[in-house]
Structure formats: structure tokens, C-alpha cells
Amino acid sequence: MLPGVFPVPITLARDVERWPFDSYYTGPITVELFTGAGRPPERANVTFVDRLAGWQSNVTRVNANALAPYEVDLQRSASTMMFAIVILCIFVTIAAIGLFVAIQTLRDVRRFQSPMTTWYAAMLFAVVPLRTHSRAHRRSEADRPHHRLVGTGGLVVSMLLYIAAWWRATSKT
């Protein structure tokens, strides 16, 4: 009969700058759980339960001794890494397309089209749900904050370039 579950928070350490290829480990964890009312109490079995979606966990003992501490290693699952890579590629692609269109318009290679300004605004608003959805697959908001700036920053710069093209196109008489 199982007496119950005792959730224990574990602190993980590693470098989040490798996101989405980051991994985390706990270092040695000593677990002492005893059962029975008799003297002396008997050592109870310890079970680690993996309840982190999108992660692969590996629990091992430091050595072969039955009383040795445990170590927990976490690594993102392949599907979570691929999802993050796809989202990052989308951010970079959106920014690159926006910059390409803005630069071509600013250089007078393409004619200025005023409805395209709303296209830039729509792309800026599209970045928010993409970020929100990708954030659900990350450990925390602190994960790779500069990646969010790649797409958003590129879009803002391209929108400013397009506005400069608008300014130049509408000031011609």
C-alpha cells in the first residue's frame, strides 16, 4: 500500500544560454525516507516520477551503493527542441522578409504601397502569439530573451524603413 506522494522541489542548475539545447542537473541528492513505527525504522523505497512535459529525465545513483545519493539530469525532448527551432526560424524569416520589402521600397526598386504599412503592423502583432505559444515550451521567461528581439527588432526596423519610404514617396510632388 502506498502511503502517499511527497512532492519535493528540486533546484536545477545549468546555463540557459544554450536554449533550446539546454540541459539541467541537480548534483547529488540524498533521500532518507523511513517507514514503520517500530524501532529502528526501515528505509522506504524512493521513486522519482517524471511529470515534466517536453523533458526527458534520467535519475541515477552516484555509485552502486544502495545508500548513495541520486542525481537528476533533465534534457529537452527532441520534439520540444524542434518546435523551438521552428519558432525561432519563423521569427528570423518574418524579420528578413520585412527588411527585404522595406529596403527594396526605400531604394525605389519597388513602388511604395500604403496598405503594406498595415502588413507590418499585422506581423508585429503576429509575433506576440508566437512568443506566447513558444513560452509555454520553455522553463521560464528568462530563457533566451535576446531571441525574442531578433524577430521583433527586425520587424520594428523594417517598419521604420518602410515609413521612411512612405515619407519620401508622399513628400514628392
Side-chain angles (χ1 to χ4, degrees):
M1 182 165 95
L2 294 174
V5 176
F6 300 97
V8 177
I10 297 175
T11 302
L12 302 172
R14 201 61 182 243
D15 188 12
V16 297
E17 290 300 315
R18 293 192 51 210
W19 183 85
F21 305 108
D22 52 343
S23 60
Y24 300 90
Y25 63 93
T26 61
I29 299 173
T30 303
V31 178
E32 292 182 4
L33 185 62
F34 297 97
T35 184
R39 298 277 183 210
E42 297 177 30
R43 186 178 280 284
N45 289 331
V46 176
T47 304
F48 288 86
V49 179
D50 178 11
R51 293 206 176 140
L52 291 172
W55 291 87
Q56 294 175 338
S57 66
N58 185 25
V59 180
T60 57
R61 289 210 183 251
V62 173
N63 57 42
N65 184 353
L67 300 176
Y70 296 92
E71 284 186 337
V72 179
D73 294 316
L74 290 176
Q75 184 173 354
R76 291 187 193 276
S77 65
S79 62
T80 303
M81 281 191 270
M82 290 306 297
F83 177 80
I85 290 168
V86 167
I87 292 295
L88 291 175
C89 289
I90 289 171
F91 285 154
V92 171
T93 302
I94 288 174
I97 290 170
L99 282 169
F100 175 77
V101 170
I103 290 169
Q104 296 300 313
T105 305
L106 191 62
R107 293 178 55 221
D108 276 336
V109 175
R110 296 284 183 211
R111 213 175 115 222
F112 173 77
Q113 303 278 331
S114 60
M116 288 293 287
T117 309
T118 60
W119 176 66
Y120 281 104
M123 285 196 307
L124 282 171
F125 286 110
V127 170
V128 175
L130 284 172
R131 276 186 53 220
T132 302
H133 190 65
S134 68
R135 190 180 312 142
H137 295 276
R138 287 187 257 157
R139 278 189 77 242
S140 69
E141 183 63 24
D143 289 350
R144 300 295 263 185
H146 57 277
H147 273 298
R148 293 189 299 264
L149 298 177
V150 170
T152 307
L155 283 175
V156 169
V157 168
S158 61
M159 190 171 195
L160 290 172
L161 289 174
Y162 205 78
I163 290 171
W166 164 79
W167 184 264
R168 192 180 67 202
T170 56
S171 64
K172 294 178 183 177
T173 52

